[in-house]
């Protein structure tokens, strides 16, 4: 019996209005870009705030563990799966009013970028090519090329863990390096409003093309992976940039490491790829070896950026 076939504990029946919106025993490898992970007992798609509220209330009343996912591009799911409810945020839609853009948290981030450029607004093009939804990007304060998503957030609509729809501000998020205070609280981000600038969209489109080409050259854009595995290190001195974990990993010899089909990407020592049928256990062993190599050579303990499920 493979981990995918392991029986999950029985969950109570869903009410008739919710049952058609959920599926049972869905392999998490189908919901994550690393394509790893055993079955989630129940998976639902949150397409409106009302559906989100109804699923959340049902899970709370029945004491069912919940995890939230966008496109699963920054997570490692357990081989044993997840014994509760996985809520996939799929609220979509995009509206533009002057320089303010409001979009559903389930919208693919790249669609947000192209949509805002078409509306004559610039600012988000730096993030071209970051996979995933805008909910995942905002909750994790995704960033690259010297910018972070949090810089552009004006307000957002959140379903709080106790079932309230609330409008929150950047101060509530507490944007920090690849993290916010609201992630991991059980709050569901449903909609975000960004403040952008009317500007030179031709130049922004050129920046976008450059970043996409750069990513194609350096990142495994067509291979299963979850982006950078470890967080970059704090700057050595105030005003300087963070020190890339990839450089330390490369100098520590990580590029040659593999555990079964879990391998370090040949062009970027901070990226783990699934070259076939890698398991969560193999990936975890590989990440441990990478961390140990850096600790042994530099005495520095790397912290994971990828979030684990199950
Ligand atoms: C090839 C590749 C390149 C990448 N490059 C970058 C990069 O340059 N910069 C960067 O920052 N990241 C990068 N990433 C990582 C990842 O794409 C981003 O972090 C992305 O923003 C995650 O979005 P997601 O929808 O996939 O989130 P998921 O992986 O589904 O979730 C990530 C976390 O956010 C939470 N979450 C997601 N949506 C919601 C929501 N609506 N409400 C509440 N919580 C939510 C989840 O619970 C989880 O904790 C890269 C990944 C890949 C595979």
């Amino acid at each position: 019996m493979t981990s995918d076939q392991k029986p999950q504990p029985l969950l109570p029946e869903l009410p008739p209005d919710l049952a058609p919106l959920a599926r049972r025993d869905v392999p998490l490898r189908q919901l994550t870009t690393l394509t790893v992970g055993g079955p989630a007992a129940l998976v639902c798609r949150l397409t409106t705030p009302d559906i989100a509220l109804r699923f959340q209330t049902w899970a709370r009343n029945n004491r069912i563990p919940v995890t939230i996912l966008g496109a699963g591009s920054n997570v490692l799911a357990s081989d044993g799966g997840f014994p509760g409810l996985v809520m996939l945020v799929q609220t979509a839609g995009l509206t533009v009013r002057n320089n303010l853009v409001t979009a559903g948290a389930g919208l693919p981030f790249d669609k947000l970028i192209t949509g805002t450029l078409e509306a004559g607004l610039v600012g988000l093009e730096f993030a071209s090519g970051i996979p995933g939804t805008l909910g995942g990007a905002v909750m994790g304060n995704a960033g690259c090329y010297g910018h972070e998503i949090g810089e552009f957030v004006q307000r957002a609509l959140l379903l709080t863990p106790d079932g309230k729809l609330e409008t929150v501000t950047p101060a509530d998020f507490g944007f920090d390096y690849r993290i916010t205070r609201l992630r991991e609280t059980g709050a569901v981000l449903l909609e975000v409003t960004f403040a952008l600038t009317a500007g030179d969209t031709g130049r922004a489109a050129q920046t976008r093309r450059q970043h996409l080409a750069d990513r194609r050259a350096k990142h495994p854009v067509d291979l299963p992976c979850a982006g950078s595995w470890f967080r970059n290190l704090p700057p050595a001195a105030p005003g300087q940039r963070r020190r890339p974990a990839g450089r330390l990993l490369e100098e520590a010899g990580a590029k040659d490491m593999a555990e079964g089909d879990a391998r370090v990407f040949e062009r970027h020592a901070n990226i783990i790829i699934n070259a076939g049928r890698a398991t969560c256990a193999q990936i975890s062993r590989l990440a441990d070896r990478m961390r140990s190599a850096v600790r042994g050579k530099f005495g520095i303990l790397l912290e994971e950026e990828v979030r684990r499920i199950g």
Side-chain angles (χ1 to χ4, degrees):
M1 182 183 273
T2 67
S3 59
D4 279 10
Q5 294 162 332
K6 246 187 234 166
Q8 290 287 325
L10 279 181
L11 295 182
E13 284 299 315
L14 278 161
D17 58 328
L18 295 183
L21 305 174
R23 283 192 297 151
R24 288 184 185 260
D25 293 327
V26 180
L28 282 164
R29 68 180 140 74
Q30 292 176 1
L31 305 177
T32 61
T33 57
L34 255 174
T35 62
V36 166
L42 196 63
V43 173
C44 66
R45 298 176 192 281
L46 310 183
T47 48
T48 67
D50 179 56
I51 290 173
L53 178 60
R54 283 192 279 154
F55 271 108
Q56 189 208 48
T57 307
W58 174 80
R60 193 175 49 248
N61 290 345
N62 290 286
R63 297 171 183 271
I64 290 164
V66 168
T67 197
I68 305 161
L69 273 188
S73 66
N74 206 21
V75 295
L76 172 62
S78 150
D79 296 322
F82 181 72
L85 171 67
V86 175
M87 303 207 287
L88 293 181
V89 180
Q90 297 193 337
T91 45
L94 186 149
T95 55
V96 179
R97 185 171 296 167
N98 300 319
N99 69 322
L100 296 182
V101 177
T102 300
L107 192 73
F109 199 81
D110 218 56
K111 280 206 172 145
L112 173 71
I113 299 174
T114 51
T116 55
L117 288 176
E118 277 164 20
L121 296 171
V122 302
L124 296 177
E125 59 281 358
F126 76 93
S128 297
I130 296 185
T133 62
L134 79 87
V138 171
M139 280 305 216
N141 195 19
C144 52
Y145 301 106
H147 288 285
E148 295 174 335
I149 304 300
E151 294 166 38
F152 302 89
V153 172
Q154 209 225 27
R155 60 175 189 272
L157 179 67
L158 200 74
L159 177 61
T160 65
D162 56 348
K164 295 191 188 79
L165 286 171
E166 265 181 17
T167 299
V168 292
T169 65
D172 298 313
F173 279 100
F175 290 109
D176 205 340
Y177 171 70
R178 302 293 176 270
I179 191 72
T180 61
R181 205 183 295 136
L182 293 177
R183 200 173 82 172
E184 318 299 337
T185 59
V188 187
L189 187 58
L190 295 169
E191 188 181 275
V192 184
T193 298
F194 297 89
L196 302 177
T197 315
D200 185 345
T201 51
R203 204 163 132 202
Q206 173 64 14
T207 304
R208 173 176 163 75
R209 282 192 293 274
Q210 277 165 359
H211 288 352
L212 288 174
D214 195 39
R215 280 178 182 276
R216 271 194 300 275
K218 293 183 187 156
H219 288 191
V221 285
D222 298 323
L223 293 170
C225 78
S228 294
W229 202 267
F230 295 102
R231 293 159 69 84
N232 288 332
L233 298 161
Q240 290 184 1
R241 298 186 104 174
R242 285 189 163 257
R243 292 168 291 161
R247 193 169 303 154
L248 300 183
L249 284 158
E250 183 159 0
E251 288 175 23
K255 270 195 179 167
D256 297 327
M257 291 183 184
E259 286 282 336
D261 279 341
R263 306 210 179 127
V264 176
F265 181 52
E266 59 193 10
R267 277 179 270 151
H268 197 314
N270 194 17
I271 294 180
I272 293 177
I273 58 163
N274 176 359
R277 299 180 63 86
T279 62
C280 175
Q282 289 170 331
I283 291 175
S284 299
R285 274 201 300 277
L286 177 58
D288 284 347
R289 283 176 54 200
M290 293 160 75
R291 190 177 1 221
S292 297
V294 168
R295 191 172 199 178
K297 191 167 170 83
F298 301 103
I300 291 171
L301 190 61
L302 294 178
E303 274 179 63
E304 283 190 349
E305 183 170 317
V306 169
R307 191 209 151 211
R308 289 173 181 253
I309 301 179

